[in-house]
Amino acid sequence: MKVSQRTVRLQLTEPLRISRSTMAARDAVRLSVEHQGGSGHGEVVASVYYGLDAGTIARLLNEVALDLARFADPETALGALRTGALPANGTAPAVTAAVESALLDLVGKRAGVPVHQLLGTPDAPSAATARTIGITSPGRAAVQAARLVRDGFAVLKIKAGAPDPEDDLKRVRAVRAAAPHARLLLDPNGAWTVATAQRLLPRLAEEGIEAVEQPIAPGDPEALAKLAERSPLPVIADEDAVGYEDARRLAGRVQGINVKLAKCGGVTTALRIAELVAGSGTELMLGCLTASTLGIAPAVHLADRARWIDLDGHLLLARDPWTGIGGADGTVRTSPRPGLGVHPRTKGERG
């Protein structure tokens, strides 16, 4: 199998501010695996939080390319990845997820079926996705919320973690007034103390917030679990639930776990987490990093397995170099094409 990669710069339509940073652009490295005239693709995006820049990603992918050369075909390589024999120990989860994406894409194309069928779901998944509103003024948040509802979004995710928590509440109230029928999620990205969270959660419940992601700083999952036990709102672990072992420790102790393929290591691990929490009282959220359609697509093939869907990373881009999962109308969906069902966007192409 031949492996190649290419780095592109993904510019956001406008900077996105969260509690710990503001982002205007992100590097994305595309991995392509070719075999007997066919090709499959995956994507890794750079992330300061996860310690990945474009150079590090390129180096890790070069190492994975040597591993893939040992296998006769993508089906065998995919089987090795599923058993943990590929890639080498210590490979960043985001890189493993991209390798699995490329192999799934190629294996699906070779079999003539979409990835969700390879994963045991006969019908094409589709789901209403949350759309993120960053930390901004209440007035601007209200304008964004009204526009998004007009576009078809029924779920809005409001970023929180302003220096003054009262500003977060003002933003929530402005969004609620502008979108009275929308489902609202809140994400402070770990910005609050336990005391602040205990004070704010009841007030957020009164405002109609449906669930809150990672309200307190990561690093103390016991504190998060205790907070969830007393919370009037579902608490979804994110930064405290990176991989399978984190999920195992929190299963049944928080109301939700945010599974991001780039965080946990890909589709196989996500399915293991889904099986782990089934029946425990903990439900899944499917999340993402800001990425192109190529990077988001594998998670869309899992959309039938989650209560909350937050797969809008590609919708934040000024220009998405890939297309095939929709989302601009508030719903992400897989296509009937084999593999991931995505393709490079041609000039002037939409959707």
Side-chain angles (χ1 to χ4, degrees):
M1 290 184 288
K2 179 183 176 182
V3 179
S4 60
Q5 57 178 283
R6 179 188 177 194
T7 301
V8 299
R9 187 75 167 164
L10 302 177
Q11 295 285 343
L12 276 66
T13 301
E14 60 182 70
L16 176 66
R17 180 187 169 196
I18 65 174
S19 61
R20 61 175 177 254
S21 63
T22 299
M23 179 178 59
R26 164 169 270 162
D27 288 327
V29 183
R30 182 189 71 195
L31 166 71
S32 298
V33 179
E34 301 176 35
H35 183 69
Q36 294 181 343
S39 61
H41 309 284
E43 180 180 85
V44 191
V45 292
S47 168
V48 174
Y49 186 78
Y50 292 112
L52 289 175
D53 57 28
T56 300
I57 293 168
R59 176 180 58 78
L60 292 172
L61 288 176
N62 284 333
E63 294 173 1
V64 170
L66 297 176
D67 290 334
L68 287 172
R70 298 187 288 112
F71 296 93
D73 53 57
E75 291 79 8
T76 305
L78 182 60
L81 188 146
R82 286 171 167 168
T83 62
L86 176 76
N89 290 335
T91 301
V95 171
T96 302
V99 173
E100 184 176 31
S101 170
L103 292 173
L104 283 168
D105 190 28
L106 182 51
V107 168
K109 289 173 179 175
R110 283 162 59 88
V113 299
V115 163
H116 63 83
Q117 291 186 13
L118 294 179
L119 303 176
T121 301
D123 298 326
S126 66
T129 180
R131 185 69 156 77
T132 300
I133 296 175
I135 296 176
T136 186
S137 69
R140 182 161 179 75
V143 169
Q144 292 178 12
R147 174 178 55 80
L148 290 170
V149 169
R150 286 195 300 270
D151 289 344
F153 287 89
V155 188
L156 303 177
K157 184 166 93 167
I158 307 166
K159 289 292 187 178
D164 183 353
E166 291 298 322
D167 290 340
D168 293 332
L169 286 167
K170 291 176 184 177
R171 192 178 317 105
V172 167
R173 293 185 185 116
V175 170
R176 172 52 74 207
H181 304 297
R183 296 166 56 199
L184 300 184
L185 307 173
L186 195 79
D187 184 10
N189 290 106
W192 296 338
T193 64
V194 171
T196 299
Q198 289 173 335
R199 186 175 73 253
L200 292 180
L201 289 174
R203 298 173 69 184
L204 291 166
E206 292 174 358
E207 299 296 337
I209 293 294
E210 180 176 320
V212 177
E213 286 182 65
Q214 194 69 42
I216 61 174
D220 191 349
E222 288 298 314
L224 185 68
K226 289 178 182 177
L227 180 68
E229 184 180 3
R230 300 185 300 270
S231 173
L233 291 172
V235 170
I236 303 170
D238 184 0
E239 286 89 344
D240 266 328
V242 176
Y244 180 85
E245 287 304 314
D246 295 327
R248 183 180 61 78
R249 283 188 288 269
L250 287 169
R253 307 185 66 202
V254 293
Q255 289 79 23
I257 288 177
N258 187 340
V259 173
K260 297 174 182 172
L261 302 189
K263 179 177 69 169
C264 74
V267 166
T268 295
T269 302
L271 291 174
R272 290 181 65 214
I273 292 173
E275 182 178 3
L276 169 74
V277 303
S280 71
T282 296
E283 298 184 270
L284 292 186
M285 179 181 202
L286 275 176
C288 65
L289 303 181
T290 301
S292 77
T293 282
L294 175 61
I296 306 296
V300 179
H301 286 270
L302 301 175
D304 59 311
R305 292 169 164 87
R307 173 178 172 181
W308 298 283
I309 304 296
D310 181 24
L311 299 177
D312 69 336
H314 61 305
L315 302 176
L316 305 179
L317 302 180
R319 185 182 185 279
D320 185 351
W322 293 78
T323 187
I325 60 173
D329 61 352
T331 299
V332 288
R333 53 183 68 83
T334 59
S335 85
R337 292 170 177 252
L340 291 175
V342 303
H343 60 279
R345 187 186 300 272
T346 59
K347 188 175 181 179
E349 185 177 9
R350 301 177 62 189

